[in-house]
Short mmCIF file of all heavy atoms in Angstrom, two decimals:
data_model
loop_
_atom_site.label_atom_id
_atom_site.label_comp_id
_atom_site.label_asym_id
_atom_site.label_seq_id
_atom_site.Cartn_x
_atom_site.Cartn_y
_atom_site.Cartn_z
N TYR I 1 55.95 -5.42 -79.91
CA TYR I 1 56.13 -4.76 -81.26
C TYR I 1 56.78 -3.29 -81.07
O TYR I 1 57.50 -2.95 -81.91
CB TYR I 1 54.76 -4.66 -82.00
CG TYR I 1 54.96 -3.99 -83.40
CD1 TYR I 1 55.40 -4.66 -84.41
CD2 TYR I 1 54.46 -2.63 -83.60
CE1 TYR I 1 55.61 -4.12 -85.64
CE2 TYR I 1 54.51 -2.18 -84.92
CZ TYR I 1 55.10 -2.96 -85.91
OH TYR I 1 55.19 -2.32 -87.18
N CYS I 2 56.48 -2.80 -79.87
CA CYS I 2 57.00 -1.34 -79.68
C CYS I 2 58.25 -1.53 -78.83
O CYS I 2 58.79 -0.55 -78.25
CB CYS I 2 55.92 -0.57 -78.92
SG CYS I 2 54.50 -0.34 -79.89
N GLY I 3 58.87 -2.72 -78.68
CA GLY I 3 60.15 -2.81 -77.96
C GLY I 3 60.04 -3.00 -76.47
O GLY I 3 61.16 -2.92 -75.74
N VAL I 4 58.85 -3.27 -75.97
CA VAL I 4 58.74 -3.49 -74.55
C VAL I 4 58.71 -5.10 -74.18
O VAL I 4 57.97 -5.73 -74.88
CB VAL I 4 57.42 -2.90 -73.97
CG1 VAL I 4 57.20 -3.04 -72.57
CG2 VAL I 4 57.47 -1.32 -74.28
N ASP I 5 59.46 -5.45 -73.12
CA ASP I 5 59.38 -6.73 -72.72
C ASP I 5 58.09 -7.03 -71.84
O ASP I 5 58.11 -6.82 -70.64
CB ASP I 5 60.57 -7.07 -71.96
CG ASP I 5 60.64 -8.56 -71.49
OD1 ASP I 5 59.91 -9.30 -71.98
OD2 ASP I 5 61.56 -8.91 -70.52
N ALA I 6 57.06 -7.40 -72.59
CA ALA I 6 55.76 -7.58 -71.89
C ALA I 6 55.39 -9.13 -71.78
O ALA I 6 55.52 -9.91 -72.69
CB ALA I 6 54.61 -6.89 -72.64
N VAL I 7 54.87 -9.47 -70.56
CA VAL I 7 54.40 -10.85 -70.49
C VAL I 7 52.86 -10.67 -69.92
O VAL I 7 52.53 -9.75 -69.37
CB VAL I 7 55.26 -11.51 -69.46
CG1 VAL I 7 56.64 -11.76 -70.04
CG2 VAL I 7 55.30 -10.84 -68.15
N THR I 8 52.22 -11.78 -70.12
CA THR I 8 50.88 -11.88 -69.49
C THR I 8 50.77 -12.75 -68.28
O THR I 8 51.46 -13.81 -68.20
CB THR I 8 50.01 -12.54 -70.57
OG1 THR I 8 50.13 -11.78 -71.84
CG2 THR I 8 48.45 -12.42 -70.08
N ALA I 9 50.11 -12.30 -67.35
CA ALA I 9 49.97 -12.98 -65.99
C ALA I 9 49.06 -14.25 -66.38
O ALA I 9 48.21 -14.30 -67.32
CB ALA I 9 49.24 -12.23 -64.89
N PRO I 10 49.22 -15.47 -65.70
CA PRO I 10 48.43 -16.56 -65.83
C PRO I 10 47.05 -16.44 -65.70
O PRO I 10 46.74 -15.36 -64.96
CB PRO I 10 49.02 -17.59 -64.88
CG PRO I 10 50.33 -17.15 -64.48
CD PRO I 10 50.31 -15.68 -64.74
N ARG I 11 46.08 -17.10 -66.32
CA ARG I 11 44.70 -16.84 -66.12
C ARG I 11 44.42 -17.13 -64.53
O ARG I 11 44.95 -18.10 -64.17
CB ARG I 11 43.95 -17.95 -66.91
CG ARG I 11 44.07 -17.52 -68.48
CD ARG I 11 43.19 -18.42 -69.28
NE ARG I 11 43.40 -18.12 -70.72
CZ ARG I 11 42.60 -18.68 -71.64
NH1 ARG I 11 41.67 -19.56 -71.33
NH2 ARG I 11 42.79 -18.35 -72.84
N PRO I 12 43.61 -16.23 -63.99
CA PRO I 12 43.44 -16.37 -62.62
C PRO I 12 42.54 -17.41 -62.17
O PRO I 12 41.62 -17.85 -63.01
CB PRO I 12 42.66 -14.99 -62.30
CG PRO I 12 42.10 -14.63 -63.63
CD PRO I 12 42.98 -15.02 -64.65
N GLY I 13 42.61 -17.86 -60.88
CA GLY I 13 41.89 -18.98 -60.39
C GLY I 13 41.58 -18.78 -58.96
O GLY I 13 41.72 -17.64 -58.31
N GLU I 14 41.46 -19.85 -58.25
CA GLU I 14 41.27 -19.77 -56.80
C GLU I 14 42.43 -19.09 -56.01
O GLU I 14 42.30 -18.51 -55.06
CB GLU I 14 41.06 -21.28 -56.17
CG GLU I 14 39.79 -21.82 -56.76
CD GLU I 14 38.53 -21.22 -56.29
OE1 GLU I 14 38.49 -20.44 -55.31
OE2 GLU I 14 37.48 -21.38 -56.85
N ASP I 15 43.61 -19.39 -56.51
CA ASP I 15 44.83 -18.85 -55.79
C ASP I 15 44.85 -17.35 -55.81
O ASP I 15 45.11 -16.74 -54.81
CB ASP I 15 46.08 -19.46 -56.33
CG ASP I 15 47.35 -19.01 -55.75
OD1 ASP I 15 47.39 -18.97 -54.43
OD2 ASP I 15 48.39 -18.81 -56.43
N GLU I 16 44.68 -16.89 -57.05
CA GLU I 16 44.59 -15.34 -57.24
C GLU I 16 43.40 -14.68 -56.45
O GLU I 16 43.61 -13.67 -55.84
CB GLU I 16 44.40 -15.06 -58.64
CG GLU I 16 45.77 -15.15 -59.49
CD GLU I 16 45.97 -16.52 -59.91
OE1 GLU I 16 45.15 -17.40 -59.61
OE2 GLU I 16 47.05 -16.86 -60.53
N LEU I 17 42.27 -15.41 -56.37
CA LEU I 17 41.20 -14.95 -55.68
C LEU I 17 41.37 -14.80 -54.05
O LEU I 17 41.13 -13.76 -53.47
CB LEU I 17 39.99 -15.83 -55.87
CG LEU I 17 38.63 -15.40 -55.13
CD1 LEU I 17 38.29 -14.07 -55.58
CD2 LEU I 17 37.58 -16.32 -55.40
N LYS I 18 42.17 -15.90 -53.63
CA LYS I 18 42.58 -15.92 -52.13
C LYS I 18 43.42 -14.78 -51.83
O LYS I 18 43.44 -14.18 -50.83
CB LYS I 18 43.08 -17.20 -51.81
CG LYS I 18 42.01 -18.40 -51.71
CD LYS I 18 42.58 -19.74 -51.44
CE LYS I 18 41.65 -20.93 -51.48
NZ LYS I 18 42.34 -22.18 -51.32
N ARG I 19 44.45 -14.65 -52.65
CA ARG I 19 45.53 -13.64 -52.41
C ARG I 19 44.89 -12.16 -52.55
O ARG I 19 45.09 -11.35 -51.64
CB ARG I 19 46.62 -13.75 -53.52
CG ARG I 19 47.55 -15.08 -53.30
CD ARG I 19 48.42 -15.06 -54.59
NE ARG I 19 49.13 -16.28 -54.53
CZ ARG I 19 50.48 -16.39 -54.12
NH1 ARG I 19 51.11 -15.37 -53.59
NH2 ARG I 19 51.12 -17.51 -54.24
N GLY I 20 43.94 -12.04 -53.37
CA GLY I 20 43.31 -10.70 -53.59
C GLY I 20 42.52 -10.37 -52.37
O GLY I 20 42.52 -9.32 -51.88
N ARG I 21 41.78 -11.36 -51.86
CA ARG I 21 40.79 -11.18 -50.65
C ARG I 21 41.72 -10.89 -49.45
O ARG I 21 41.31 -10.09 -48.56
CB ARG I 21 39.88 -12.40 -50.56
CG ARG I 21 38.69 -12.32 -51.60
CD ARG I 21 37.99 -13.58 -51.33
NE ARG I 21 36.66 -13.60 -52.22
CZ ARG I 21 35.88 -14.58 -52.46
NH1 ARG I 21 36.08 -15.70 -51.78
NH2 ARG I 21 34.87 -14.40 -53.17
N ALA I 22 42.79 -11.68 -49.40
CA ALA I 22 43.68 -11.40 -48.14
C ALA I 22 44.33 -10.13 -48.08
O ALA I 22 44.61 -9.67 -46.90
CB ALA I 22 44.59 -12.57 -48.14
N ASN I 23 44.50 -9.42 -49.20
CA ASN I 23 45.15 -8.24 -49.22
C ASN I 23 44.20 -7.00 -49.58
O ASN I 23 44.66 -6.02 -49.96
CB ASN I 23 46.35 -8.22 -50.13
CG ASN I 23 47.50 -9.12 -49.72
OD1 ASN I 23 48.31 -8.67 -48.96
ND2 ASN I 23 47.37 -10.37 -50.11
N SER I 24 42.94 -7.25 -49.21
CA SER I 24 41.98 -6.12 -49.47
C SER I 24 40.87 -6.39 -48.31
O SER I 24 41.05 -7.08 -47.54
CB SER I 24 41.25 -6.19 -50.80
OG SER I 24 40.57 -7.39 -50.94
N THR I 25 39.89 -5.52 -48.43
CA THR I 25 38.85 -5.60 -47.26
C THR I 25 37.85 -6.79 -47.57
O THR I 25 37.06 -7.13 -46.82
CB THR I 25 38.04 -4.32 -47.22
OG1 THR I 25 37.22 -4.22 -48.35
CG2 THR I 25 38.88 -3.09 -47.06
N SER I 26 38.04 -7.42 -48.83
CA SER I 26 37.23 -8.48 -49.35
C SER I 26 35.77 -8.02 -49.75
O SER I 26 34.87 -8.72 -50.06
CB SER I 26 36.93 -9.41 -48.23
OG SER I 26 38.12 -10.33 -48.03
N LYS I 27 35.64 -6.67 -49.64
CA LYS I 27 34.36 -5.96 -50.07
C LYS I 27 34.44 -5.50 -51.52
O LYS I 27 33.49 -5.18 -52.23
CB LYS I 27 33.93 -4.88 -49.22
CG LYS I 27 33.62 -5.34 -47.72
CD LYS I 27 33.26 -4.13 -46.91
CE LYS I 27 33.06 -4.48 -45.41
NZ LYS I 27 32.78 -3.34 -44.54
N GLU I 28 35.63 -5.56 -52.05
CA GLU I 28 35.78 -5.04 -53.39
C GLU I 28 35.17 -6.07 -54.42
O GLU I 28 35.09 -7.23 -54.09
CB GLU I 28 37.26 -4.97 -53.57
CG GLU I 28 37.94 -3.76 -52.86
CD GLU I 28 38.34 -4.23 -51.47
OE1 GLU I 28 38.24 -5.29 -51.12
OE2 GLU I 28 38.76 -3.34 -50.71
N CYS I 29 35.02 -5.61 -55.56
CA CYS I 29 34.50 -6.64 -56.61
C CYS I 29 35.50 -7.49 -57.13
O CYS I 29 36.65 -7.34 -57.01
CB CYS I 29 33.69 -5.73 -57.74
SG CYS I 29 34.94 -4.71 -58.64
N LEU I 30 34.93 -8.57 -57.80
CA LEU I 30 35.80 -9.58 -58.26
C LEU I 30 37.01 -9.23 -59.03
O LEU I 30 38.12 -9.70 -58.94
CB LEU I 30 34.97 -10.63 -59.03
CG LEU I 30 35.67 -12.03 -59.50
CD1 LEU I 30 36.19 -12.78 -58.26
CD2 LEU I 30 34.65 -12.84 -60.16
N PRO I 31 36.86 -8.26 -60.10
CA PRO I 31 38.00 -7.92 -60.98
C PRO I 31 39.12 -7.41 -60.23
O PRO I 31 40.34 -7.61 -60.44
CB PRO I 31 37.33 -6.90 -61.91
CG PRO I 31 36.06 -7.25 -62.10
CD PRO I 31 35.58 -7.75 -60.62
N LEU I 32 38.83 -6.67 -59.22
CA LEU I 32 39.94 -6.07 -58.22
C LEU I 32 40.62 -7.18 -57.64
O LEU I 32 41.93 -7.21 -57.53
CB LEU I 32 39.31 -4.98 -57.30
CG LEU I 32 40.16 -4.33 -56.34
CD1 LEU I 32 40.57 -5.18 -55.09
CD2 LEU I 32 41.42 -3.77 -56.92
N GLN I 33 39.92 -8.09 -57.00
CA GLN I 33 40.55 -9.02 -56.34
C GLN I 33 41.35 -10.03 -57.10
O GLN I 33 42.58 -10.46 -56.57
CB GLN I 33 39.47 -9.98 -55.55
CG GLN I 33 38.65 -9.19 -54.49
CD GLN I 33 37.42 -9.92 -54.07
OE1 GLN I 33 37.06 -10.95 -54.53
NE2 GLN I 33 36.77 -9.39 -52.94
N LEU I 34 41.04 -10.26 -58.33
CA LEU I 34 41.64 -11.15 -59.19
C LEU I 34 43.00 -10.41 -59.75
O LEU I 34 44.00 -10.98 -59.92
CB LEU I 34 40.92 -11.75 -60.35
CG LEU I 34 39.79 -12.64 -59.94
CD1 LEU I 34 38.84 -13.00 -61.17
CD2 LEU I 34 40.19 -13.87 -59.22
N THR I 35 42.81 -9.19 -60.12
CA THR I 35 43.94 -8.49 -60.64
C THR I 35 45.00 -8.26 -59.65
O THR I 35 46.34 -8.25 -59.83
CB THR I 35 43.67 -7.09 -61.35
OG1 THR I 35 42.67 -6.39 -60.48
CG2 THR I 35 42.90 -7.44 -62.63
N LEU I 36 44.60 -7.99 -58.45
CA LEU I 36 45.52 -7.74 -57.21
C LEU I 36 46.14 -9.06 -56.93
O LEU I 36 47.44 -9.05 -56.72
CB LEU I 36 44.75 -7.19 -56.06
CG LEU I 36 45.52 -7.09 -54.81
CD1 LEU I 36 46.84 -6.11 -54.83
CD2 LEU I 36 44.66 -6.60 -53.62
N GLY I 37 45.33 -10.14 -56.88
CA GLY I 37 45.97 -11.44 -56.67
C GLY I 37 47.05 -11.93 -57.66
O GLY I 37 47.99 -12.46 -57.39
N SER I 38 46.66 -11.59 -58.94
CA SER I 38 47.63 -11.91 -59.98
C SER I 38 48.97 -11.17 -59.86
O SER I 38 50.04 -11.77 -60.05
CB SER I 38 47.06 -11.53 -61.36
OG SER I 38 45.89 -12.20 -61.77
N LEU I 39 49.00 -9.88 -59.46
CA LEU I 39 50.13 -9.16 -59.21
C LEU I 39 51.01 -9.79 -57.99
O LEU I 39 52.16 -10.00 -58.14
CB LEU I 39 49.85 -7.68 -58.98
CG LEU I 39 51.04 -6.84 -58.41
CD1 LEU I 39 52.19 -6.85 -59.46
CD2 LEU I 39 50.58 -5.35 -58.09
N LEU I 40 50.16 -9.99 -56.94
CA LEU I 40 50.92 -10.65 -55.82
C LEU I 40 51.47 -12.03 -56.03
O LEU I 40 52.63 -12.44 -55.57
CB LEU I 40 49.99 -10.77 -54.58
CG LEU I 40 49.44 -9.44 -54.05
CD1 LEU I 40 48.24 -9.61 -53.20
CD2 LEU I 40 50.63 -8.71 -53.33
N ARG I 41 50.77 -12.72 -56.81
CA ARG I 41 51.31 -14.19 -57.21
C ARG I 41 52.50 -13.96 -57.92
O ARG I 41 53.61 -14.82 -57.75
CB ARG I 41 50.33 -15.03 -57.92
CG ARG I 41 50.75 -16.42 -58.20
CD ARG I 41 49.64 -17.21 -59.06
NE ARG I 41 50.34 -18.47 -59.41
CZ ARG I 41 49.65 -19.42 -60.15
NH1 ARG I 41 48.26 -19.07 -60.33
NH2 ARG I 41 50.18 -20.53 -60.53
N TYR I 42 52.59 -13.17 -58.89
CA TYR I 42 53.64 -12.94 -59.82
C TYR I 42 54.92 -12.42 -58.90
O TYR I 42 56.07 -13.13 -59.16
CB TYR I 42 53.50 -11.92 -60.89
CG TYR I 42 54.68 -11.77 -61.81
CD1 TYR I 42 54.89 -12.48 -62.89
CD2 TYR I 42 55.61 -10.77 -61.49
CE1 TYR I 42 56.05 -12.28 -63.70
CE2 TYR I 42 56.77 -10.45 -62.28
CZ TYR I 42 57.00 -11.29 -63.41
OH TYR I 42 58.05 -11.14 -64.24
#
């Protein structure tokens, strides 16, 4: 509505979780792992 080309990442699942864990220490909480995994997958 404000003129920005915005898209939503697909709902996270096992793939995003694996990517998030592989690129962190795996000690971080679930939201961090899933949001990081979503960025990497995109």
Side-chain angles (χ1 to χ4, degrees):
Y1 181 72
C2 298
V4 180
D5 182 11
V7 295
T8 306
R11 293 186 178 186
E14 296 292 344
D15 185 37
E16 285 79 4
L17 181 59
K18 288 176 183 177
R19 290 172 188 263
R21 284 178 173 171
N23 290 274
S24 61
T25 66
S26 294
K27 296 177 182 178
E28 295 83 4
C29 63
L30 184 61
L32 179 279
Q33 293 166 354
L34 293 178
T35 50
L36 176 59
S38 294
L39 171 60
L40 293 170
R41 180 179 175 181
Y42 181 87

